[in-house]
């Protein structure tokens, strides 16, 4: 296995294993061939997050390849977490991309099942779903041991991927949440990033009853709500999300809804710091506001600034 302990782009893994409070943020790849805007948003996060997630066709909407976009970030001195969804690729293609990620120095992978095709902008496309998140994690384990998914040796070297998974502490089925979480742990998940959190009592219960003792960092999803209309749209269009009325009312009554949304996000970061080992920041199309939110929450720059 490749020793990456002294390489530049293992800041996130090192911090996770050291028990540091982890900060990640999400950036959307471009819809087209020009990565300039993506890079400008990601550049604002340098020194303030341990790694930047690149989404993989989130909500089944066409965007640039997450692997390519992650490579572009890496070239610009930003450590990526490459999200990899099973919706669009079979196991041959997924393994090929995972090996390619390792070869490029992209070691952080978030294994996802992927949103259904019908949710996106190419509803006539055929979903693949040859694997789902747990089985993808199992495949990553095998690649790290030097074998493909059929247990055949990788003749040109093993991989060294730091695999994570998604978790939704607000899932309606508590038994289903526990079962899925435990299966992902068993399949090799090394960290968890949550869906956006609005019920922090539920998050606390999840941490106490399910995640306790797993020794894997859980990062709470913190989402910047820009207005009451934005919150209502998310409630309507994002499955499993329920932004409570008191937050929507607070945004509706604010003189500056965007500023109020930032305050809400900063308050949520402060709460999350008391409950889990990190936060995953999401500010769609306003990633430049993530650092001001972290400042409002009193979060210091990360210990290690990643540079090329």
């Amino acid at each position: 296995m490749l020793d990456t302990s002294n390489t530049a782009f293992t800041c996130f893994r090192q911090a996770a294993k050291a028990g540091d409070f982890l900060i990640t943020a999400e950036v959307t790849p471009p819809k087209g061939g020009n990565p300039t805007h993506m890079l400008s948003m990601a550049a604002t996060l340098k020194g303030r997050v341990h790694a930047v997630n690149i989404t993989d066709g989130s909500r089944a909407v066409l965007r640039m390849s997450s692997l390519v976009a992650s490579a572009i970030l890496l070239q610009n001195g930003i450590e990526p977490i490459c999200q990899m969804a099973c919706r669009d690729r079979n196991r041959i293609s997924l393994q090929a991309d995972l090996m390619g990620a390792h070869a490029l120095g992209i070691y952080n992978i978030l294994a996802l099942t992927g949103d259904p095709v019908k949710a996106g902008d190419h509803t006539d496309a055929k979903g693949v779903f040859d694997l789902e998140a747990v089985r993808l994690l199992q495949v990553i384990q095998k690649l790290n041991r030097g074998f493909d998914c059929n247990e055949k040796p990788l003749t040109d070297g093993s991989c060294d991927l730091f695999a994570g998974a998604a978790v939704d502490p607000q899932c309606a089925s508590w038994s289903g949440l526990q079962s899925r979480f435990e299966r992902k742990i068993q399949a090799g998940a090394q960290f968890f990033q949550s869906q956006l959190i609005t019920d922090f009592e539920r998050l606390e219960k999840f941490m106490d009853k399910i995640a306790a003792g797993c020794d894997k960092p859980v990062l709470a999803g913190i989402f910047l709500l820009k207005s009451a209309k934005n919150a209502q749209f998310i409630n309507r269009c994002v499955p499993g999300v329920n932004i409570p009325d008191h937050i929507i009312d607070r945004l509706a009554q604010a003189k500056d809804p965007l500023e109020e949304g930032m305050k809400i996000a900063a308050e949520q970061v402060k709460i999350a710091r008391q409950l889990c080992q990190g936060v995953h920041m999401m500010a769609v199309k306003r990633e430049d506001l993530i650092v001001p939110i972290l400042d409002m929450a009193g979060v210091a720059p990360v210990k290690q600034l990643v540079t090329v």
Side-chain angles (χ1 to χ4, degrees), residues 43-105:
T44 67
L45 303 168
K46 275 192 175 183
R48 298 306 304 269
V49 304
H50 293 94
V52 174
N53 279 59
I54 292 294
T55 57
D56 185 15
S58 178
R59 294 191 298 115
V61 173
L62 173 66
R63 294 276 176 175
M64 180 184 287
S65 156
S66 60
L67 179 57
V68 172
S70 294
I72 293 171
L73 287 197
L74 198 64
Q75 290 170 353
N76 286 269
I78 302 164
E79 181 172 354
I81 298 175
C82 181
Q83 296 187 187
M84 197 161 292
C86 300
R87 177 190 57 246
D88 307 316
R89 287 161 285 191
N90 65 16
R91 66 192 69 190
I92 299 172
S93 181
L94 286 165
Q95 289 177 100
D97 281 350
L98 288 164
M99 290 186 285
H102 168 88
L104 290 168

Side-chain angles (χ1 to χ4, degrees), residues 186-243:
Q186 292 167 2
Q190 299 297 309
F191 66 93
F192 289 86
Q193 292 174 317
S194 90
Q195 309 287 2
L196 76 93
I197 298 292
T198 55
D199 186 343
F200 286 88
E201 290 183 3
R202 181 79 171 185
L203 174 63
E204 183 175 17
K205 182 181 177 183
F206 167 78
M207 295 303 302
D208 290 343
K209 303 295 184 182
I210 294 179
C214 76
D215 196 32
K216 305 297 180 188
V218 175
L219 286 71
I222 308 296
F223 192 94
L224 172 62
L225 298 168
K226 305 179 189 72
S227 65
K229 184 178 179 180
N230 177 223
Q232 290 164 343
F233 171 82
I234 291 167
N235 271 351
R236 186 171 63 252
C237 298
V238 180
V241 173
N242 181 26
I243 298 167

Side-chain angles (χ1 to χ4, degrees), residues 206-284:
F206 167 78
M207 295 303 302
D208 290 343
K209 303 295 184 182
I210 294 179
C214 76
D215 196 32
K216 305 297 180 188
V218 175
L219 286 71
I222 308 296
F223 192 94
L224 172 62
L225 298 168
K226 305 179 189 72
S227 65
K229 184 178 179 180
N230 177 223
Q232 290 164 343
F233 171 82
I234 291 167
N235 271 351
R236 186 171 63 252
C237 298
V238 180
V241 173
N242 181 26
I243 298 167
D245 289 340
H246 71 87
I247 290 181
I248 296 175
D249 292 342
R250 183 173 163 183
L251 290 164
Q253 294 165 12
K255 291 183 179 179
D256 186 335
L258 180 59
E259 182 179 352
E260 195 67 23
M262 293 173 66
K263 290 178 181 178
I264 292 168
E267 292 165 8
Q268 292 175 338
V269 170
K270 290 179 180 179
I271 298 170
R273 291 187 78 171
Q274 308 303 313
L275 301 177
C276 56
Q277 196 186 325
V279 288
H280 177 55
M281 306 297 296
M282 295 170 278
V284 179

